[in-house]
Amino acid sequence: MRKPLMAGNWKMYKTPAETHAFFEAFKPLVADAAHCDIVICPPFPDLPVAIKEAEGSNVAIGAQNLYWGREGAVTGEVSGHMLQAIRCEYVIIAHSERRQYFGETEPDVVRKTQAALEFGLRPIVCIGERLEERESGRTEDVLAEQIDGGIAPLEPEAFAKIVIAYEPVWAIGTGKTATPKIAADAHGFIRRRVASRFGDDAAKAVRILYGGSVKPDNVKGLMDEEEIDGALVGGASLDPQSFASVVKF
Ligand code: PGA
């Protein structure tokens, strides 16, 4: 049995004061939610406040990106070592916005995932096809390329510690959620593909989240699919009530 994981990705939203206000409202709403793991990924400047607020609660905190290496002359970047030092627990890797706007590639995924694990962070590795790729029937080819290039090079011990997020780019921030069937089919493909590299047991154990316009009113249908192990939620994670409803699906 895979325990569901519901993760909020705040992207470039909220100040530290707004982060504080969010947690004050959110924590009581989910205090008795034991059926799933809950993670919130705020922007870097909000992490210390979020980590302090989440202390002793059932909410874990993640970053939205990291750079490989412990420290160095890399202006503007943040290392896994720094995230570990502030007791951050998760990190999102290669979100489609990172791939699209900052040119992150499969070798980056490997380096960042390895760096996250080296510093004790749990990586949430994002993959997913763009609209034109789906429309031209290339969804599985794209997922296969992303898995083969970004995930397959990991050692089996590393693979056992990651979470995968399937986020079709056409569904992110567009209000166009994938139907439960579309998402479950993609998850099934991803699971079979990782099974061919890491074996059936490892593939059965890995959690695959769906992301892309997950909202309180569509989360149940998605979570009813056996293949869907949780959600990576952008817009609907910014409001405490709305994310609490998603968490409680
Ligand atoms: P969305 O974002 O829920 O706002 O579509 C999801 C994501 O980008 O992780």
Side-chain angles (χ1 to χ4, degrees), residues 93-96 99-100 106 125-131 133-134 138-147 151 164-172 186 190 210-211:
I93 310 252
H95 186 277
S96 66
R99 293 175 183 263
Q100 210 176 331
E106 307 323 326
V125 179
C126 302
I127 59 177
E129 81 286 358
R130 291 191 297 235
L131 181 61
E133 293 165 337
R134 175 159 287 269
R138 294 195 58 239
T139 297
E140 293 192 350
D141 293 342
V142 171
L143 294 176
E145 279 162 29
Q146 292 174 337
I147 293 165
I151 295 175
I164 297 172
Y166 168 62
E167 298 207 302
V169 179
W170 47 270
I172 295 177
I190 294 164
Y210 166 77

Side-chain angles (χ1 to χ4, degrees), residues 33 41 152:
C41 302

Side-chain angles (χ1 to χ4, degrees), residues 9 11 95 97 167 171-174 211-215 232-236:
N9 171 14
K11 309 192 179 186
H95 186 277
E97 286 149 18
E167 298 207 302
I172 295 177
T174 57
S213 298
V214 175
K215 309 269 181 252
L232 183 54
V233 185

Side-chain angles (χ1 to χ4, degrees), residues 228-246:
I228 301 180
D229 304 317
L232 183 54
V233 185
S237 73
L238 292 169
D239 174 73
Q241 309 282 347
S242 134
F243 192 47
S245 306
V246 169

Side-chain angles (χ1 to χ4, degrees), residues 66 68 92-95 99 104-117 123-128 141-156 158-165 190 193-194 197-198 206:
L66 89 172
W68 53 89
I92 299 172
I93 310 252
H95 186 277
R99 293 175 183 263
E104 292 193 8
T105 59
E106 307 323 326
D108 295 331
V109 177
V110 178
R111 283 190 286 257
K112 290 187 176 205
T113 304
Q114 288 168 339
L117 293 169
I124 301 174
V125 179
C126 302
I127 59 177
D141 293 342
V142 171
L143 294 176
E145 279 162 29
Q146 292 174 337
I147 293 165
D148 296 355
I151 295 175
L154 299 173
E155 295 299 327
F159 177 75
K161 293 184 185 139
I162 73 168
V163 174
I164 297 172
I190 294 164
R193 191 84 184 182
V194 294
R197 159 72 177 96
F198 297 103
V206 72

Side-chain angles (χ1 to χ4, degrees), residues 27-212:
K27 279 187 294 183
L29 297 174
V30 298
D32 57 0
H35 62 287
C36 70
D37 291 333
I38 307 170
V39 181
I40 297 204
C41 302
F44 289 128
D46 300 332
L47 285 173
V49 174
I51 288 162
K52 189 158 185 295
E53 288 286 342
E55 228 169 56
S57 80
N58 54 345
V59 183
I61 303 301
Q64 297 173 16
N65 184 26
L66 89 172
Y67 193 79
W68 53 89
R70 180 186 172 88
E71 57 188 15
V74 195
T75 302
E77 295 293 328
V78 169
S79 75
H81 171 57
M82 294 164 184
L83 296 173
Q84 181 182 45
I86 62 167
R87 285 175 289 114
C88 184
E89 289 183 66
Y90 286 81
V91 61
I92 299 172
I93 310 252
H95 186 277
S96 66
E97 286 149 18
R98 302 288 323 164
R99 293 175 183 263
Q100 210 176 331
Y101 308 144
F102 301 97
E104 292 193 8
T105 59
E106 307 323 326
D108 295 331
V109 177
V110 178
R111 283 190 286 257
K112 290 187 176 205
T113 304
Q114 288 168 339
L117 293 169
E118 182 185 344
F119 295 105
L121 301 159
R122 300 182 202 195
I124 301 174
V125 179
C126 302
I127 59 177
E129 81 286 358
R130 291 191 297 235
L131 181 61
E132 62 273 23
E133 293 165 337
R134 175 159 287 269
E135 285 177 341
S136 59
R138 294 195 58 239
T139 297
E140 293 192 350
D141 293 342
V142 171
L143 294 176
E145 279 162 29
Q146 292 174 337
I147 293 165
D148 296 355
I151 295 175
L154 299 173
E155 295 299 327
E157 307 75 59
F159 177 75
K161 293 184 185 139
I162 73 168
V163 174
I164 297 172
Y166 168 62
E167 298 207 302
V169 179
W170 47 270
I172 295 177
T174 57
K176 281 188 213 152
T177 326
T179 61
K181 163 115 177 56
I182 289 178
D185 285 352
H187 285 215
F189 176 80
I190 294 164
R191 213 177 287 285
R192 289 192 299 279
R193 191 84 184 182
V194 294
S196 67
R197 159 72 177 96
F198 297 103
D200 284 342
D201 289 350
K204 270 192 204 126
V206 72
R207 289 188 285 191
I208 307 179
L209 315 183
Y210 166 77

